[in-house]
Amino acid sequence: MARQVRLLQTDDIDDDDDVRSPSPSSDSASFIHEHEAAGFLGTTTEDSSSHPAPKEVYNWRPYVLALSAAMGSAMFGYDTAFIGGTIALPSFAHKFGLEDATGNALAGIEARIVSTFQVGCFFGSILVYYFNEFHGRRNTLILAGLLFDCGAIMQLLSNGNLDYIYLGRGLTGLAVGSSSLVIPVYISECAPPAIRGRLVGIFEIVLQSFLVVGFWVNYGVNEHISGLSDTQWRIPVSLQLVPGTLLVIAMSFQPESPRWLIRAGKTSQARKVLSYIRNLPADHEYVVWEVESVLNQIEHESYTGADGSLKDKLKSIMLPGKRNRLILGCSMMILQNLSGTNALNYYSTTIFRSIGFSGTSVGLLATGVYGFFKCITTIFFTFFVIERIGRRNSLIYGGIGTMVAMFYLAFFGAVSGSFDGHAERNASAYVAIFMVYFFAVTFTLSWSGIPWIFAAEVFPASVRSVCVSMTTSSQWVGQFMIVYSTPYLMENIKWGTFLVFGISLFFGVVFVFLWVPETKGMTLEEMDIMFELETTDGREMREQAEAIIAHEREVLTMSDRQTVGAIKLGDEFAV
């Protein structure tokens, strides 16, 4: 379908809802040329968007906004990390009757405790759609924080009853499933294009930071609190209240997404929010252009029938140009889980025992270091790498590294007999440990955060919520499959578990190479240009899209020059 572009004349800006003003003025060459955007934290990012932002845009406010929303990913990270270690604590095993369970019976209990969370996440990512669509991103995140706290309290009241654990983890899952959908969307809708990947990456930084907290809390209570005391397992469970409460408090001081406000007909309020976030006056041409871009997209979507009821949106998603985005987003979420990362997160102590390192404290210590590696790598990648080498290259090269790690772990398990307790602490065993950490680094540089970023930035505004709901649901379906099956896989096919993950990573690399285009630096509205192309070759899509965008820049610039010329000619006649 041909893409329509409105060329607009100048209008005054007032407090009314409708804004109609020109695209970027031609007296600034910055509209045509790529700029270097100086970031708040001293980083420098090439601004190759269709309208490079003024330096005032790269201030502290977008970072604080992203950090506040990312308290929701703190819930995600802590819950991911603490449960595997808590199940392994002597006090938990004694209190909930895990001491007498062995083999598939123990694997079943562990799988149910862990995977109940994923079930809640799946339904949370679906049920949140209406609230997120009609009540806004900010209110949805506050509600998710309150719900997460309720789930944590339910687990604290369990007193040896696994049903309370299941119910509590289901509630925390609902909260994490809903917030994990909203956070990347909220941040991407508020972020300048040149640092959008970096800001959405804060989601992953906070997740990994609280992952580390979860690992080390278990190690600390195991070392310093008696295994006969309920306090040992209650501390890591009660600390779930921290990220949930932080999310509620932090989001109470943040604005609503300006793009959501525009779609809700609150353009005047959106202009004020953008003025605050961008650190520019409300009548600054960049703020005016940004509002106008969203209004243009809304007009285009209304013309195509995409901006209607849920039924209309579902029909629209199946059209070429949107359908391919949804397939890519869902596939990336599934492939992320088939990498085996969540198996390492949830069952890390079991996995370290499988490669020859026994003892609860040894396993917890090893997983704490594992989490630390992931956290440091995430920070480095988010602030210094992602906007330089892009999404596509990161997925390909990082995928190759993680694939090598998984294939070595499979080889080591096969030749050493580690799953049968015969492994020795020799050089090959220490290489296996290194490969676990190598996996952590390479996965964090690639498949850890980029699927979330991709899903948050590629969909049109009219169907963004429903599409991200589908991609996030795919994430939780993938997690459920992995965390539920991993104990059984390790019990029955042993080292073949790592082989399955390695093969999945191989297919993931091929998938990205063939079909995933580069999206860094493009505005959310420009994604339509790239994904509405006839080609589906990920190697060609960005190049063709840039050619179209460059042509549009030239047309707009010529239009502005003609307008300026006409004004000057009119002035001469007036004289």
Side-chain angles (χ1 to χ4, degrees):
M1 183 175 291
R3 185 175 179 271
Q4 296 180 333
V5 179
R6 283 194 298 155
L7 300 180
L8 303 161
Q9 301 301 318
T10 311
D11 257 328
D12 292 332
I13 299 175
D14 51 34
D15 288 334
D16 295 332
D17 277 353
D18 288 326
V19 179
R20 295 292 183 271
S21 107
S23 293
S25 60
S26 59
D27 60 352
S28 172
S30 65
F31 179 58
I32 304 174
H33 300 293
E34 293 180 347
H35 274 208
E36 292 290 325
F40 162 63
L41 298 179
T43 55
T44 302
T45 303
E46 186 180 274
D47 190 342
S48 58
S49 59
S50 64
H51 189 189
K55 60 182 177 60
E56 291 84 359
V57 167
Y58 304 102
N59 61 83
W60 58 269
R61 289 168 181 166
Y63 290 91
V64 173
L65 179 146
L67 184 62
S68 299
M71 287 301 103
S73 63
M75 304 186 310
F76 185 0
Y78 185 78
D79 218 295
T80 298
F82 98 94
I83 191 64
T86 300
I87 291 173
L89 291 174
S91 60
F92 188 93
H94 174 74
K95 188 71 175 180
F96 293 92
L98 273 63
E99 291 176 321
D100 301 326
T102 58
N104 282 332
L106 178 61
I109 295 173
E110 291 179 345
R112 285 191 293 275
I113 292 174
V114 174
S115 62
T116 305
F117 175 76
Q118 272 70 38
V119 173
C121 288
F122 172 77
F123 286 105
S125 65
I126 294 175
L127 297 176
V128 75
Y129 168 75
Y130 277 104
F131 197 90
N132 181 45
E133 191 77 355
F134 297 105
H135 297 282
R137 322 310 193 201
R138 174 179 174 271
N139 292 332
T140 302
L141 289 175
I142 291 174
L143 179 63
L146 294 172
L147 185 61
F148 189 84
D149 283 351
C150 290
I153 293 171
M154 183 68 66
Q155 293 169 59
L156 284 171
L157 296 175
S158 58
N159 196 32
N161 188 335
L162 280 174
D163 291 337
Y164 280 81
I165 295 291
Y166 297 147
L167 179 59
R169 285 188 57 74
L171 290 176
T172 56
L174 284 171
V176 170
S178 58
S179 63
S180 65
L181 179 153
V182 178
I183 297 165
V185 171
Y186 174 72
I187 297 174
S188 68
E189 289 183 342
C190 296
I195 59 171
R196 186 176 60 244
R198 184 183 302 160
L199 292 178
V200 177
I202 292 176
F203 169 94
E204 188 69 19
I205 288 177
V206 175
L207 188 156
Q208 297 298 339
S209 298
F210 275 78
L211 201 77
V212 172
V213 172
F215 284 140
W216 285 103
V217 164
N218 281 322
Y219 178 75
V221 296
N222 183 69
E223 286 291 297
H224 300 291
I225 298 178
S226 170
L228 300 177
S229 171
D230 284 347
T231 304
Q232 188 188 56
W233 68 267
R234 286 187 183 276
I235 288 177
V237 171
S238 64
L239 285 177
Q240 292 178 95
L241 293 168
V242 173
T245 304
L246 285 175
L247 178 62
V248 173
I249 294 172
M251 287 308 300
S252 297
F253 295 96
Q254 294 305 319
E256 183 54 80
S257 159
R259 282 175 167 80
W260 182 87
L261 288 170
I262 293 172
R263 297 198 64 80
K266 302 177 181 179
T267 307
S268 178
Q269 187 178 343
R271 200 155 50 236
K272 293 176 183 177
V273 170
L274 272 174
S275 174
Y276 170 77
I277 298 173
R278 301 292 184 256
N279 196 29
L280 294 169
D283 60 352
H284 190 280
E285 74 88 29
Y286 185 81
V287 175
V288 173
W289 169 82
E290 198 165 358
V291 171
E292 185 58 42
S293 296
V294 180
L295 290 170
N296 273 333
Q297 188 185 50
I298 292 172
E299 183 178 290
H300 175 65
E301 289 164 353
S302 297
Y303 175 78
T304 60
D307 190 20
S309 65
L310 178 60
K311 182 179 179 181
D312 293 334
K313 291 179 180 181
L314 292 173
K315 288 182 179 178
S316 173
I317 290 169
M318 294 300 106
L319 295 174
K322 296 185 180 73
R323 181 179 59 213
N324 54 338
R325 292 182 242 193
L326 184 62
I327 291 172
L328 289 175
C330 292
S331 299
M332 289 170 69
M333 290 295 192
I334 294 291
L335 287 167
Q336 182 200 58
N337 281 286
L338 290 175
S339 68
T341 181
N342 285 305
L344 288 172
N345 287 337
Y346 287 105
Y347 301 108
S348 48
T349 52
T350 303
I351 289 171
F352 276 106
R353 284 198 297 268
S354 75
I355 51 181
F357 290 80
S358 59
T360 302
S361 62
V362 173
L364 291 174
L365 177 61
T367 56
V369 176
Y370 169 78
F372 178 77
F373 267 83
K374 290 186 71 176
C375 180
I376 295 300
T377 307
T378 300
I379 294 172
F380 174 77
F381 177 66
T382 299
F383 287 105
F384 302 105
V385 178
I386 189 170
E387 297 296 359
R388 295 183 183 275
I389 68 173
R391 286 63 155 153
R392 177 180 162 87
N393 288 336
S394 297
L395 289 169
I396 291 172
Y397 297 127
I400 292 172
T402 52
M403 179 175 62
V404 170
M406 282 298 181
F407 281 143
Y408 180 84
L409 290 173
F411 170 78
F412 173 78
V415 301
S416 69
S418 60
F419 278 83
D420 298 317
H422 303 314
E424 298 179 1
R425 290 196 187 183
N426 52 25
S428 61
Y430 284 101
V431 172
I433 290 292
F434 169 80
M435 283 298 175
V436 171
Y437 296 133
F438 181 69
F439 175 92
V441 171
T442 53
F443 180 81
T444 303
L445 291 173
S446 53
W447 286 87
S448 182
I450 291 178
W452 294 97
I453 295 172
F454 184 89
E457 67 186 2
V458 299
F459 298 112
S462 64
V463 295
R464 186 171 296 139
S465 289
V466 66
C467 286
V468 175
S469 177
M470 291 182 182
T471 58
T472 307
S473 299
S474 301
Q475 164 71 211
W476 297 116
V477 169
Q479 278 208 34
F480 176 80
M481 290 191 305
I482 295 303
V483 301
Y484 192 84
S485 62
T486 294
Y488 295 102
L489 291 173
M490 297 186 71
E491 179 70 23
N492 295 291
I493 69 171
K494 306 181 187 306
W495 57 267
T497 306
F498 298 118
L499 185 62
V500 170
F501 296 146
I503 293 172
S504 299
L505 283 161
F506 170 77
F507 283 111
V509 170
V510 173
F511 174 82
V512 172
F513 180 78
L514 293 177
W515 294 300
V516 177
E518 181 54 67
T519 59
K520 79 178 180 82
M522 302 186 77
T523 67
L524 298 182
E525 290 69 38
E526 286 172 349
M527 296 293 178
D528 288 348
I529 298 174
M530 182 163 66
F531 285 99
E532 288 177 3
L533 295 169
E534 291 184 3
T535 182
T536 58
D537 190 330
R539 295 163 292 182
E540 299 178 359
M541 291 174 68
R542 178 60 182 253
E543 183 178 348
Q544 293 184 22
E546 285 181 338
I548 296 172
I549 293 169
H551 176 69
E552 288 190 359
R553 293 181 188 179
E554 184 179 350
V555 170
L556 291 170
T557 303
M558 290 176 63
S559 174
D560 283 346
R561 286 174 179 167
Q562 290 171 359
T563 302
V564 172
I567 292 172
K568 288 182 178 178
L569 185 62
D571 290 344
E572 290 176 2
F573 278 111
V575 173

